[in-house]
Amino acid sequence: MRKIFPVLAAAVLLTAGCAGSEAGGSGPIVVGSVNALSGAATFPEASQAAKAVFDAANAAGGVNGRQIEYKAIDDKGDPAAAAAAAREVVGGDDAVALVGSSSLIECEINAKYYEQQKILSVQGIGVDPACFSSPNIAPVNVGPFHDMTLTLLYGSETLKLDNICALLEIAGNTLPAYQAAIDEWTKITGKKLKYVDATVPYGGSDYTSYVVKARAAGCKAITVNPVEPDSIGQLKAAQAQGWNDVTWLLLTSVYSENYAKAISNAGAGVYVPAEFYPFTDAGSPQTKDWRDLMTKNKIPLTSFSQGGYLAAKYFLDVLRGIKGDITRESVTKALREMKPVTDPMVGTPYVFGPAQSHHDNTAGWPIKLATGTNKWELAAQDWLRIPKQ
């Protein structure tokens, strides 16, 4: 396996367009991404981090003397805008690949288009199920579905919790994917959830009724797939009910310093399997290169910027190994034939490869937020991995 320097990122790279990039020679290498830069939920750090990586490469002379021209397009959280963004960068700009994309919807909207245009996407942050079921998209992150399996495994096997329940926030077609994640946990452990409520809304104004029903069902721990504001509301609802002995098994979606500062009562603890090496472990050698580059470019230190950073690093590693012209065709061939790349910021090697789907990152680093600390801390000394079946 090849080894590259640490990377962390999240992100935003999507493209769409013509049948294939024929441009070679000495002109710029166009790389695209489709990102949620505006709208209800935004992830700007991923594409910002990818751009920082490419800018650093350009400053050092580029790739075989050619500069990388990075185009991050906003999908505005809108399906029509996501489709238009892909077509702009793939067809109009003739990008050779997509790198660092981060969006709630873009994979679902554009996966078939990428197949038609024979272009690949090294996704910074994969979110929707299509990101992990397309032959032309390979996210660098674990994703919310493996994340749920990991958090359940940590709760039942490490914390030895029983009576675990689930409150699921379902958007679009994600319910089957979350159910598959829960089923995978059941297959590994032989255990089942005590109670499941898949009607919990995104952006709810009051989560009291959902919390009350979960408590009445006898739940001792709850897994949820929330965005930060929703989780804050859910924990406050539990606190208002005096439910202070419940353990929260959450996803990387709540892993931020702002979230930690907003939580005063975390019940029996909030546990999360971080998709990349925990960035709140200040001074760790695993994240030094990423941290230095993000700080230099004033980019927030988040899981999203980790994903974008890693996507760009992996892509550059492959790009530099191409002999001859760098075109969409040669880039696609190189990504399909690449060897796995290891990095200390992730627990699973990355490879694009020829598979018909890409959901290979199966490791998270457990972290914990305890009541009254307002600070994340490591909850393990090594990666937690989903066992191979």
Side-chain angles (χ1 to χ4, degrees):
M1 292 184 182
R2 291 173 289 169
K3 185 169 184 176
I4 64 174
F5 294 106
V7 292
L8 196 244
V12 269
L13 277 182
L14 236 138
T15 3
C18 70
S21 173
E22 299 296 339
S26 59
I29 301 167
V30 179
V31 178
S33 69
V34 176
N35 316 277
L37 303 181
S38 64
T42 61
F43 316 106
E45 305 100 304
S47 53
Q48 291 170 354
K51 183 178 185 300
V53 172
F54 292 140
D55 286 349
N58 287 338
V63 178
N64 297 335
R66 296 176 64 184
Q67 296 284 288
I68 294 175
E69 185 178 351
Y70 185 65
K71 295 179 178 266
I73 312 298
D74 185 9
D75 71 11
K76 305 175 184 177
D78 176 73
R87 282 151 182 78
E88 176 181 342
V89 72
V90 176
D93 296 321
D94 205 22
V96 300
L98 297 153
V99 178
S101 296
S102 180
S103 164
L104 289 174
I105 61 171
E106 89 93 1
C107 294
E108 181 178 0
I109 299 301
N110 294 318
K112 291 300 181 183
Y113 178 69
Y114 296 154
E115 291 184 47
Q116 293 167 1
Q117 301 305 313
K118 297 181 174 59
I119 191 168
L120 304 185
S121 175
V122 181
Q123 201 84 7
I125 297 294
V127 180
D128 71 72
C131 296
F132 305 95
S133 59
S134 166
N136 287 50
I137 302 172
V140 305
N141 66 317
V142 173
F145 313 113
H146 279 339
D147 217 15
M148 177 153 285
T149 303
L150 285 167
T151 201
L152 286 169
L153 284 171
Y154 188 81
S156 66
E157 307 310 296
T158 300
L159 298 179
K160 304 300 182 183
L161 298 170
D162 54 13
N163 294 338
I164 301 175
C165 303
L167 300 180
L168 301 178
E169 300 186 355
I170 300 302
N173 63 342
T174 58
L175 181 55
Y178 280 115
Q179 185 60 57
I182 294 168
D183 291 345
E184 185 172 23
W185 166 73
T186 295
K187 183 178 180 181
I188 294 168
T189 65
K191 301 171 183 177
K192 294 185 178 181
L193 295 177
K194 183 177 182 63
Y195 168 82
V196 177
D197 185 346
T199 68
V200 182
Y202 276 105
S205 58
D206 185 358
Y207 289 99
T208 301
S209 64
Y210 302 96
V211 166
V212 167
K213 285 187 287 186
R215 188 180 190 184
C219 304
K220 299 300 182 184
I222 298 179
T223 187
V224 196
N225 60 322
V227 291
E228 288 183 29
D230 293 1
S231 179
I232 292 170
Q234 291 156 13
L235 266 67
K236 287 183 176 179
Q239 181 182 1
Q241 295 299 311
W243 196 14
N244 297 318
D245 61 349
V246 61
T247 301
W248 298 89
L249 304 173
L250 306 184
L251 310 186
T252 310
S253 53
V254 303
Y255 177 37
S256 77
E257 291 182 333
N258 286 337
Y259 178 85
K261 291 175 182 176
I263 298 299
S264 58
N265 188 327
V270 172
Y271 292 86
V272 168
E275 297 193 29
F276 308 109
Y277 185 84
F279 61 82
T280 48
D281 185 22
S284 61
Q286 292 95 326
T287 61
K288 184 181 185 305
D289 288 358
W290 161 78
R291 185 180 296 271
D292 289 348
L293 186 63
M294 297 303 102
T295 301
K296 177 182 178 181
N297 288 276
K298 297 180 172 58
I299 299 170
L301 302 179
T302 67
S303 293
F304 296 112
S305 62
Q306 285 180 304
Y309 172 82
L310 283 169
K313 281 286 192 176
Y314 293 152
F315 181 71
L316 276 178
D317 191 56
V318 171
L319 210 60
R320 288 170 174 149
I322 295 176
K323 306 299 182 184
D325 281 350
I326 295 175
T327 65
R328 186 180 301 176
E329 290 72 25
S330 64
V331 167
T332 296
K333 183 175 186 292
L335 285 169
R336 294 291 194 198
E337 297 176 354
M338 72 178 286
K339 294 181 180 179
V341 182
T342 62
D343 189 276
M345 276 193 7
V346 290
T348 308
Y350 178 83
V351 63
F352 203 111
Q356 290 300 299
S357 62
H358 305 278
H359 204 178
D360 301 327
N361 192 339
T362 57
W365 195 292
I367 52 176
K368 175 185 178 180
L369 174 63
T371 293
T373 63
N374 297 114
K375 182 180 179 181
W376 293 101
E377 57 188 56
L378 300 184
Q381 298 302 311
D382 200 357
W383 297 96
L384 171 68
R385 295 178 174 86
I386 298 174
K388 291 184 177 180
Q389 298 297 297

